[in-house]
Amino acid sequence: MPEPFKVNCQTEVEVKHGVGLHARPSVTFTRLAKSFPCSIEIAVNGSDVWLNGKSIIKIMGAKIRKGSILRIRADGILAEEAIRALKELIERNFDEEKKHGRTA
């Protein structure tokens, strides 16, 4: 693979969702993470413990609340794109407003 596609990168984002990463946001986050071929890990509030960002059990088990600071890192193919997509998802509050506000 050419170098631009294989990268190790990291970002930080604050969780602003009203109840943090409860069931629905956790599923949305891990589903998006799994769509990328790279490894994705998160650390919560400055912790040195990195959790598998593709594991619903790890994400829900971390009890990530509103105001938590997530460090997200990715390593491998499409890592930059994965980081960008996950950060944007969190900043959009997991698109939950759109889901509940739509008309049938």
Side-chain angles (χ1 to χ4, degrees):
M1 273 281 165
E3 278 309 306
F5 294 102
K6 193 162 178 151
V7 189
N8 181 324
C9 56
Q10 184 170 306
T11 192
E12 249 183 37
V13 63
E14 180 181 349
V15 176
K16 296 188 177 181
H17 188 278
V19 290
L21 266 74
H22 62 82
R24 271 190 314 268
S26 292
V27 167
T28 305
F29 183 93
T30 54
R31 188 174 290 149
L32 180 59
K34 287 177 185 176
S35 73
F36 291 95
C38 53
S39 69
I40 296 171
E41 296 176 306
I42 65 162
V44 184
N45 293 328
S47 169
D48 289 335
V49 177
W50 288 92
L51 306 170
N52 181 349
K54 297 181 179 186
S55 168
I56 187 68
I57 301 298
K58 296 288 185 190
I59 300 300
M60 286 186 67
K63 297 186 174 135
I64 300 163
R65 302 197 183 335
K66 180 179 181 176
S68 295
I69 303 297
L70 291 187
R71 278 187 298 156
I72 308 169
R73 71 180 181 190
D75 186 29
I77 298 166
L78 299 178
E80 264 182 43
E81 288 84 348
I83 291 289
R84 190 176 316 115
L86 291 165
K87 182 175 184 175
E88 288 172 1
L89 177 70
I90 294 168
E91 289 172 342
R92 291 191 317 263
N93 281 328
F94 306 91
D95 295 330
E96 288 209 337
E97 288 80 15
K98 291 178 190 170
K99 288 178 190 167
H100 299 303
R102 71 176 179 221
T103 54

